[in-house]
């Protein structure tokens, strides 16, 4: 599978099989995350993988009751231990974590797995479930598992709406 094929196959999976992810697959998924680039190579990401059924249920409640994530084999709580802001004014934590998470998504595709980004959640609730300290930002949750649904055609803007060359032409 080429990288572009993996990108094309990734979709937001909202129905999962009741089937665990093999430990070696989890290892390779987090190796993909570990190899991601980060600002100043700070590697400020920290991941908590949750497979316990009761905890997944509580995380689903914390995710605005998006209960489908409780059916995923794993929920990844993606955190950052950095509050560093780059000269451009952007915080590195969410950017670095997002890059690593997309590596996770693409490696999951390669392994026949599916994912869903989850940004709609209450971080304080997630913190309470997982014992995440106050100085650590909970950036995103991600559901991971074997899909029980079928990929949908992606709805995307045509390239001319998002790309120009040499100067701003939108
Ligand atoms: C940062 C981020 C947060 C998201 N949060 C949620 C979410 O809380 N619940 C959900 O079902 N999908 C969530 N999504 C998935 C998007 O809705 C989805 O990526 C988008 O509609 C495009 O569809 P596709 O991923 O199937 O291509 C999120 C995606 C991103 C990138």
């Amino acid at each position: 599978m080429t990288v572009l094929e993996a990108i094309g196959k990734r979709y937001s999976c909202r129905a999962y099989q009741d089937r665990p992810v093999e430990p070696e697959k989890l290892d390779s998924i987090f190796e993909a995350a570990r190899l991601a680039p980060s600002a100043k190579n700070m590697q400020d990401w920290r991941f908590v993988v949750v497979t316990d059924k009761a905890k997944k249920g509580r995380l689903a409640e914390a995710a605005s009751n998006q209960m489908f994530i409780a059916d995923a084999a794993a929920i990844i709580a993606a955190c950052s231990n950095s509050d560093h802001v780059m000269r451009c004014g952007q915080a590195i934590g969410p950017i670095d974590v997002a890059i690593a998470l997309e590596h996770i998504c693409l490696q999951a595709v390669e392994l026949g797995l599916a994912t869903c980004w989850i940004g709609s959640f209450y971080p304080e609730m997630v913190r309470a479930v997982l014992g995440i300290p106050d100085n650590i930002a909970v950036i995103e949750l991600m559901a991971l598992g074997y899909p029980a649904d079928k990929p949908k055609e992606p709805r995307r803007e045509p390239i001319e709406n998002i790309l120009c060359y040499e100067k701003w032409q939108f």
Side-chain angles (χ1 to χ4, degrees), residues 18 100 108 118 120 134 143 151 157:
D18 183 13
I118 301 294
S120 178
D134 288 345
E157 296 286 333

Side-chain angles (χ1 to χ4, degrees), residues 10-14 66 68 116-121 140 152 154-156:
R10 187 217 57 82
Y11 70 101
S12 294
C13 175
R14 298 190 178 92
Q66 298 187 80
F68 73 88
C116 190
W117 285 77
I118 301 294
S120 178
F121 66 88
E140 199 74 6
K152 294 151 286 265
R155 288 183 296 111
R156 294 296 190 268

Side-chain angles (χ1 to χ4, degrees), residues 4-20:
L4 195 55
E5 283 167 349
I7 290 169
K9 282 189 172 176
R10 187 217 57 82
Y11 70 101
S12 294
C13 175
R14 298 190 178 92
Y16 292 90
Q17 297 175 34
D18 183 13
R19 175 180 169 191

Side-chain angles (χ1 to χ4, degrees), residues 103-121:
H103 279 203
I104 285 173
C105 290
L106 297 180
Q107 182 61 9
V109 169
E110 167 72 22
L111 299 171
L113 295 158
T115 52
C116 190
W117 285 77
I118 301 294
S120 178
F121 66 88

Side-chain angles (χ1 to χ4, degrees), residues 4 8 14 34 45 50 59 91 114 141 170:
L4 195 55
R14 298 190 178 92
R34 195 180 71 86
W45 43 63
V50 180
L59 289 179
L141 299 178
F170 297 108

